[in-house]
Amino acid sequence: GHETAYDEDYIQVKAEKTQTVRSEREAEKLFNARCASCHGKDGKFNKKFVREYYPLPQKLSRERIDSLGVDSLSQVILNGRNYMQAFRGRVSESEANALVMHLKKLAEKNAEAK
């Protein structure tokens, strides 16, 4: 019997705190550059542009965003859905998560404005 010794310490990999990767201002700039042409800077659609599409993009309601969660929404940003193109390669996973945080803020503002 040949014994093998493992000298390496076990290292726990901690999840990246993705919402702190970019400032809120950077997330807003990224949203305005990548997303606002369809979704509108306020999250209420660029109506002139999106009316050509069916189905229409989903409204950025608090209920919808909360029901989908950060991971699902990040995957939509990265992989696309319906008429929305995939942004993988143009947006990092950290940026996608920062965009979801920005969507949550827009949804909150829109809910308060009612």
Side-chain angles (χ1 to χ4, degrees):
H2 193 292
E3 233 178 276
T4 308
Y6 292 99
D7 294 331
E8 292 176 315
D9 290 334
Y10 175 75
I11 299 167
Q12 185 176 7
V13 179
K14 291 187 171 65
E16 179 190 11
K17 285 195 168 60
T18 50
Q19 61 266 47
T20 61
V21 168
R22 299 178 87 66
S23 70
E24 285 181 34
R25 182 77 192 111
E26 281 181 287
E28 183 183 5
K29 281 182 178 174
L30 185 62
F31 182 86
N32 291 344
R34 298 282 193 202
C35 315
S37 59
C38 290
H39 290 286
K41 286 185 179 184
D42 58 1
K44 294 181 181 176
F45 301 150
N46 176 350
K47 290 182 178 68
K48 288 179 187 164
F49 187 70
V50 299
R51 70 171 177 220
E52 297 172 24
Y53 294 120
Y54 185 84
L56 283 172
Q58 292 292 330
K59 292 251 188 259
L60 300 178
S61 70
R62 213 172 17 192
E63 297 76 24
R64 177 152 179 84
I65 287 174
D66 288 344
S67 73
L68 288 170
V70 176
D71 290 342
S72 295
L73 289 165
S74 292
Q75 290 308 306
V76 170
I77 291 167
L78 294 170
N79 300 322
R81 185 176 191 187
N82 295 329
Y83 286 109
M84 184 174 154
Q85 60 186 304
F87 282 88
R88 189 178 298 282
R90 292 179 287 165
V91 171
S92 71
E93 289 195 20
S94 294
E95 288 172 325
N97 288 330
L99 284 170
V100 173
M101 295 301 152
H102 184 66
L103 291 178
K104 284 179 174 267
K105 286 196 173 45
L106 287 177
E108 290 293 328
K109 274 187 196 167
N110 292 339
E112 288 164 15
K114 284 181 182 174

